[in-house]
Amino acid sequence: MVGWILKKILGSKNQRELRRLAPIVRRVNELDEQFKSLSDDELRAKTAAWKEEFSKIPELEDQWKKLNEILPEAFAVVKNAARRLKERQHTFTVCDQPMVWDMVHFDVQLLGGIVLHRGRIAEMATGEGKTLVATLPLYLNALTGRGAHLVTVNDYLARRDAEWMGLLYDFLGLTVGCIQHDQEPDVRREQYAMDITYGTNSEFGFDYLRDNGMATTREQQVQRGYHYAIVDEVDSILIDEARTPLIISGPATISTHQYDKWKPLIEQLVRKQNMLCNRVASEAIEKFEQGDVETGGRLMFKVKLGQPRNKQLLRMMEDPDKRRAIDKAELSFYQDTRKEELFQLKEEMFFTIDEKSNEADLSEQGRTFLNPDDPNAFVLPDLINEFTEIDLDPTLPDEEKDKKKSERQQYCDAQAERIHNISQLLKAYCLFEKDVQYVVEDNKVIIVDENTSFKKDGESITLGDFKAGDHVFGPGEVKDGTFVASRLMIGDMHRMRGGPEGSHGPDQK
């Protein structure tokens, strides 16, 4: 009751934030009125003056302070330019269709622009003009000369918005580029060199992969770094697709798998895990029978972590009350305040399996079981820190530094290959059941579609790059594998900018 009264008096957090931004909006509108007396050339000259000023500020922190300082004036310049285009009924072409410019920024759009510049998410309803909102922070951040990107959902929208809003940028003296899927590297390089570049998530991501994983010289790279980006439909891209990997792969000429080597040890490890999970499941059943539902749910969640297809677990999940207790325990452990407890719970198993993300992780006792002499054989080294230490060592000549880096890189690759092989074998043993997830026909392992229960003809079961499943499920045709030339998570790509800005609407268009 008290909270409701305070909210009525003081307003919601969103309302209080909007009130804090209101003075900036008023200042933008005041400057817009003042700029009406300027000629087009005088208005455009402000862009050139700011760009010249930023070119003399090398530090990012100092540039950021300057951007915040000139924000009201820069936003007013953009709004005034939009007003002039509307008053003149300026005609232009967008995606081969004639259009007339008829937009001027409203206060709600100025608010959205301020929020996006500050690295926050702006939620705007259909019709509030998210496309026009983006012009304000994009113009402001493009003044640094480091480039500003707008990430949208498909090639058509990227081209449409670049041509549509490009009229406004061009009027103010900025250049606009657009990345499309069929462009050659030279064309892409030109587009990235523009002050503002529109494109899709995948195009930005794959260009980054090619630049940093496949290009051998600076001349072969097309991007010029990441500085500022606005992500359209940010909830979809950075939540729904955040862990979606962008992968460039090719056929592997030589298979480097070690499945046969690790298979006997993994079989033993899986048996020990099965025995452990069965024992924990029996304890859980006793707790449920005694009426201790909370402890029973906690124990079965532990079983779910270690053996998600455990038969006793699956039977319990058919009971609504027990399923509710298990789900409640799972939600409880995934709270931020219980991260350490969750870690300890996982460490009580030999390994954990996540069905949703299709990942397997060894615990400390699992690593010790597989390699008692060197449990760290399944931990990737921190190459960035090691390379930094090598570079900062004044006693090493350049050739010796390159040699040491190469040795550490080879060691890391070997570690990664070992971890990958073991992870794939664990998933093959724990997630796939014969005649349920796969069948064996004509000496081949064939996937069964989970939704339709039909066999996927011509699709051999694959667990990663080299088909560990064929080694687990028995003799079968092992086709050539693939190697991953470069890989990047979508969320990680945007994190390189220090935090992207995003806008989205409830319509999720």
Side-chain angles (χ1 to χ4, degrees):
M1 186 65 182
V2 176
W4 181 83
I5 294 173
L6 289 174
K7 186 175 180 180
K8 281 292 184 182
I9 297 173
L10 302 177
S12 65
K13 181 179 179 182
N14 183 64
Q15 290 169 334
R16 294 196 298 272
E17 181 63 25
L18 293 179
R19 283 200 293 268
R20 279 194 289 268
L21 299 178
I24 301 177
V25 173
R26 287 195 294 270
R27 180 58 180 160
V28 171
N29 289 326
E30 290 171 2
L31 291 168
D32 173 41
E33 289 296 321
Q34 295 177 20
F35 292 162
K36 288 181 179 180
S37 61
L38 299 179
S39 67
D40 289 354
D41 288 339
E42 288 174 330
L43 189 69
R44 197 174 293 117
K46 288 184 173 293
T47 302
W50 280 325
K51 291 185 75 172
E52 176 68 22
E53 190 172 350
F54 276 106
S55 67
K56 299 175 182 178
I57 305 176
E59 296 297 327
L60 285 175
E61 187 175 347
D62 294 336
Q63 286 191 350
W64 180 253
K65 291 178 181 177
K66 183 63 179 178
L67 287 173
N68 289 327
E69 179 185 321
I70 67 170
L71 184 149
E73 191 173 355
F75 278 25
V77 166
V78 178
K79 180 175 181 178
N80 195 268
R83 184 190 308 281
R84 296 181 187 213
L85 292 172
K86 181 180 180 180
E87 290 172 350
R88 298 167 189 176
Q89 292 290 293
H90 194 95
T91 58
F92 59 112
T93 301
V94 175
C95 295
D96 302 320
Q97 299 296 319
M99 288 191 67
V100 177
W101 185 274
D102 62 349
M103 296 180 293
V104 180
H105 303 78
F106 290 99
D107 287 356
V108 67
Q109 292 168 320
L110 297 176
L111 285 168
I114 298 168
V115 169
L116 289 177
H117 170 69
R118 293 184 174 182
R120 300 179 181 180
I121 293 174
E123 180 177 4
M124 305 187 73
T126 303
E128 284 191 321
K130 295 186 288 292
T131 304
L132 186 62
V133 168
T135 59
L136 297 163
L138 283 176
Y139 170 81
L140 176 62
N141 285 273
L143 295 173
T144 63
R146 296 176 181 270
H149 297 164
L150 189 136
V151 185
T152 189
V153 294
N154 59 53
D155 275 354
Y156 169 75
L157 288 177
R159 179 190 171 193
R160 185 204 70 177
D161 292 354
E163 294 180 1
W164 193 9
M165 300 299 111
L167 176 68
L168 185 58
Y169 301 130
D170 183 65
F171 181 86
L172 290 170
L174 294 182
T175 55
V176 185
C178 179
I179 304 297
Q180 299 283 279
H181 74 280
D182 55 354
Q183 289 174 339
E184 294 296 324
D186 289 343
V187 177
R188 288 174 179 268
R189 193 176 297 108
E190 291 175 1
Q191 303 307 307
Y192 281 116
M194 302 294 184
D195 294 312
I196 298 169
T197 304
Y198 285 72
T200 64
N201 210 46
S202 57
E203 292 300 326
F204 284 121
F206 281 121
D207 282 339
Y208 176 84
L209 288 177
R210 283 186 284 264
D211 281 0
N212 294 275
M214 301 175 70
T216 57
T217 65
R218 183 67 187 89
E219 289 70 28
Q220 293 177 342
Q221 297 178 325
V222 298
Q223 294 183 336
R224 58 176 178 134
Y226 286 90
H227 170 58
Y228 178 86
I230 294 177
V231 181
D232 193 15
E233 306 296 356
V234 67
D235 49 349
S236 172
I237 290 177
L238 292 191
I239 298 177
D240 300 340
E241 302 178 21
R243 302 314 299 166
T244 301
L246 301 175
I247 300 172
I248 297 178
S249 62
T253 56
I254 300 176
S255 177
T256 59
H257 70 72
Q258 303 168 8
Y259 297 129
D260 291 331
K261 172 185 175 181
W262 291 105
K263 182 180 174 183
L265 276 174
I266 294 299
E267 286 180 338
Q268 296 178 43
L269 184 66
V270 171
R271 278 198 295 270
K272 290 178 74 69
Q273 178 94 322
N274 289 345
M275 292 172 61
L276 174 60
C277 288
N278 287 334
R279 186 169 67 251
V280 174
S282 298
E283 294 175 11
I285 292 173
E286 291 180 7
K287 293 297 181 181
F288 279 124
E289 291 175 349
Q290 295 169 6
D292 190 351
V293 177
E294 183 177 346
T295 304
R298 179 185 181 280
L299 291 171
M300 288 314 298
F301 171 59
K302 182 177 177 180
V303 174
K304 184 178 180 181
L305 288 173
Q307 196 181 32
R309 295 193 179 274
N310 179 277
K311 287 182 169 53
Q312 294 186 76
L313 171 65
L314 296 177
R315 281 196 295 270
M316 285 194 190
M317 295 296 280
E318 295 175 359
D319 185 315
D321 293 332
K322 292 176 181 175
R323 182 184 187 119
R324 195 177 300 113
I326 297 169
D327 290 343
K328 183 178 179 181
E330 181 173 2
L331 288 172
S332 174
F333 272 104
Y334 279 112
Q335 293 177 0
D336 289 341
T337 56
R338 302 193 68 182
K339 284 184 177 180
E340 290 187 11
E341 291 181 68
L342 179 60
F343 174 77
Q344 293 298 330
L345 193 67
K346 291 180 177 180
E347 285 298 303
E348 293 174 11
M349 314 299 290
F350 290 96
F351 58 86
T352 56
I353 296 284
D354 189 330
E355 274 192 291
K356 292 182 180 178
S357 62
N358 205 28
E359 293 179 351
D361 291 314
L362 287 169
S363 67
E364 183 66 30
Q365 60 176 333
R367 292 192 290 269
T368 302
F369 176 82
L370 291 177
N371 195 336
D373 299 327
D374 184 15
N376 289 329
F378 308 103
V379 179
L380 285 176
D382 187 347
L383 280 184
I384 294 178
N385 283 338
E386 290 188 11
F387 283 2
T388 302
E389 290 177 4
I390 292 172
D391 286 333
L392 295 177
D393 190 342
T395 64
L396 293 176
D398 290 342
E399 291 183 3
E400 187 66 21
K401 288 180 180 180
D402 292 340
K403 182 181 178 181
K404 282 185 172 290
K405 285 183 181 180
S406 178
E407 290 174 353
R408 296 307 298 166
Q409 182 66 60
Q410 291 175 11
Y411 173 76
C412 182
D413 291 344
Q415 294 279 79
E417 183 65 28
R418 186 184 303 116
I419 294 169
H420 172 76
N421 289 174
I422 290 172
S423 175
Q424 303 304 78
L425 284 167
L426 287 173
K427 287 186 285 185
Y429 274 107
C430 299
L431 297 181
F432 289 84
E433 184 178 348
K434 186 177 180 181
D435 296 329
V436 179
Q437 278 80 30
Y438 73 95
V439 295
V440 179
E441 290 184 356
D442 299 327
N443 206 33
K444 294 181 181 179
V445 180
I446 306 297
I447 291 178
V448 175
D449 190 290
E450 291 184 11
N451 299 314
T452 65
S453 297
F454 289 118
K455 292 177 290 186
K456 294 185 178 180
D457 293 332
E459 189 169 336
S460 174
I461 196 165
T462 175
L463 291 168
D465 304 332
F466 300 105
K467 308 200 173 190
D470 292 307
H471 292 264
V472 172
F473 304 135
E477 180 183 339
V478 182
K479 302 176 184 178
D480 291 338
T482 60
F483 74 95
V484 175
S486 203
R487 178 190 186 106
L488 176 69
M489 292 295 184
I490 287 175
D492 294 338
M493 175 183 72
H494 292 299
R495 220 169 274 124
M496 290 184 292
R497 308 174 195 268
E501 287 59 58
S503 65
H504 74 103
D507 56 316
Q508 295 303 306
K509 64 180 181 180

